[in-house]
Amino acid sequence: MTLARTTLFTTLRLLTLALACATSVAYADDYGDVSQLVRAGKLDEAMVKADSYLVGKPADPQMRFLKGVIQRNLGKQAEAIATFTKLTEDYPELPEPYNNLAVLYAGQSQFDKARAALEMAIRTNPSYATAHENLGDIYARLASQAYNKALQLDGANAAVPPKLALIRELFSPNNKGQHPATTALAAAPAVPVAKPSTPAPAAPTAVPAVVAPATTLRAAPAKPVASDSAAQESRQVEEAVQAWAKAWSTKDITAYLGAYGKEFDPAGQQSRKAWEEERRKRIVGKTSISVKLEKLSVTVNGAKAIAKFRQDYRAGALAVSSRKTLELVKTGNRWLIVKESTGN
């Protein structure tokens, strides 16, 4: 009484294309050519072109990602797993290889490995919706196994069959809610994080200087004072965010971790201590890091603030551009990060 492996495999969403890497136009053409061959089902040609590209740029994460997709489509599951596993080792900041690795493990009924890979994807990017959805499917699969085991041990338990039937219905091929992952393989080579269709927020409006009238000694009206206070808070939030980015760029791990408030709760089930150790390893171990913020906008509401911006991150050969949102609270005279998310 188990669900068909193929049913689950087509339910999970395999990302096919493309990592959020900054690329030149020439490189984008190479990626586009390989992607087009994949969509046309010309997998052998796609592999030849990908391998040829990687001869000159063996570390290129995006082409290696595409090669993993080609290997999976050719039925070379072990080779695809090896490719995505190496990508997670070389570029642990990227969630997409973890997701595809999880789908491959699920196809082999290695659900615990799939769950672990998806949890890593979410830990890397807490706002990664596809990984959250796939993780839900894996949990359902694990629940199915547990219900079947319960029936084997106690076949008279009338409470179990309805639960099992519910999961079967969820993954039924006739369920309109299933995800057409097989057709998703032909998705366009869009850069998922960049999302150009999402209107970028307007650049923060310059704060006008408050100029007191030279000829009056009367107290300033209440409204301008309030505006000046709000503008000051907004500037302090901007300074806190820029200081956080600078600490990251200069690998000043003490200042970087100090930018987070005690209320900050890492994604998933990771403890604060484990998260700090992971961040320390990822930041201090890099040869160089560059974090630049663009189109920073800040909204302040009392002791809470939201900062939205585009983050351009570079570390060695890796370049990632993404939208990021930070939520901050004022603690004493400091604005500290209590939540961060990517892609919105």
Side-chain angles (χ1 to χ4, degrees):
M1 299 179 67
T2 59
L3 296 174
R5 177 183 301 179
T6 53
T7 301
L8 177 71
F9 196 81
T10 54
T11 301
L12 296 178
R13 300 175 65 187
L14 180 81
L15 290 183
T16 59
L17 309 167
L19 300 184
C21 301
T23 59
S24 69
V25 174
Y27 294 170
D29 287 344
D30 287 323
Y31 303 141
D33 290 345
V34 174
S35 300
Q36 181 61 39
L37 289 171
V38 173
R39 285 195 292 271
K42 299 177 180 178
L43 300 178
D44 290 333
E45 291 182 46
M47 181 65 81
V48 169
K49 191 170 182 63
D51 282 339
S52 176
Y53 180 94
L54 289 170
V55 169
K57 299 178 177 59
D60 185 280
Q62 190 162 351
M63 193 58 78
R64 290 167 62 188
F65 186 88
L66 287 169
K67 182 175 180 177
V69 173
I70 297 169
Q71 290 170 325
R72 182 263 182 181
N73 287 4
L74 285 171
K76 299 178 179 179
Q77 307 297 316
E79 295 179 20
I81 287 175
T83 297
F84 288 123
T85 299
K86 193 67 170 63
L87 271 173
T88 63
E89 294 171 355
D90 294 344
Y91 300 99
E93 301 88 343
L94 300 177
E96 290 87 352
Y98 287 113
N99 179 80
N100 281 14
L101 192 56
V103 175
L104 289 165
Y105 281 140
Q108 297 179 343
S109 298
Q110 300 189 69
F111 301 114
D112 284 335
K113 287 186 175 180
R115 176 182 52 77
L118 289 169
E119 288 177 349
M120 284 300 298
I122 293 170
R123 187 179 301 170
T124 301
N125 181 359
S127 58
Y128 188 10
T130 299
H132 281 286
E133 185 177 0
N134 282 345
L135 183 59
D137 290 342
I138 291 296
Y139 282 143
R141 176 61 172 174
L142 290 170
S144 173
Q145 289 184 333
Y147 291 144
N148 276 301
K149 185 65 177 178
L151 279 179
Q152 291 175 8
L153 297 173
D154 183 8
N157 188 344
V160 175
K163 298 176 183 177
L164 195 55
L166 184 62
I167 295 179
R168 282 178 169 175
E169 176 64 21
L170 181 65
F171 291 102
S172 168
N174 296 324
N175 190 322
K176 296 180 180 179
Q178 69 173 339
H179 301 286
T182 51
T183 56
L185 291 174
V191 180
V193 179
K195 293 183 178 178
S197 60
T198 301
T205 304
V207 179
V210 178
V211 180
T215 57
T216 179
L217 297 177
R218 291 180 296 176
K223 186 174 181 180
V225 169
S227 297
D228 184 48
S229 176
Q232 184 177 358
E233 295 290 351
S234 180
R235 283 196 296 271
Q236 290 177 357
V237 173
E238 289 185 22
E239 290 171 358
V241 173
Q242 293 290 359
W244 162 81
K246 182 179 179 180
W248 193 357
S249 294
T250 59
K251 299 189 292 183
D252 183 346
I253 192 65
T254 300
Y256 174 84
L257 295 177
Y260 292 83
K262 63 180 182 180
E263 301 91 343
F264 178 74
D265 186 16
Q269 299 179 350
Q270 191 178 30
S271 68
R272 175 65 178 264
K273 182 180 180 181
W275 174 80
E276 290 187 355
E277 291 176 352
E278 184 177 82
R279 296 305 296 160
R280 186 186 305 277
K281 181 179 179 181
R282 289 187 177 185
I283 292 174
V284 177
K286 292 288 190 302
T287 303
S288 64
I289 295 176
S290 171
V291 181
K292 295 182 179 178
L293 311 184
E294 295 181 351
K295 299 180 180 179
L296 172 61
S297 66
V298 171
T299 303
V300 178
N301 183 11
K304 298 181 179 180
I306 296 176
K308 295 185 176 184
F309 49 87
R310 176 165 295 285
Q311 174 183 290
D312 290 326
Y313 170 87
R314 289 179 180 273
L318 177 64
V320 178
S321 179
S322 60
R323 293 288 307 165
K324 179 166 279 189
T325 299
L326 298 180
E327 296 182 20
L328 304 96
V329 297
K330 191 166 188 179
T331 305
N333 60 353
R334 297 187 63 199
W335 284 96
L336 299 174
I337 301 167
V338 295
K339 184 178 181 180
E340 62 180 338
S341 57
T342 304
N344 51 8

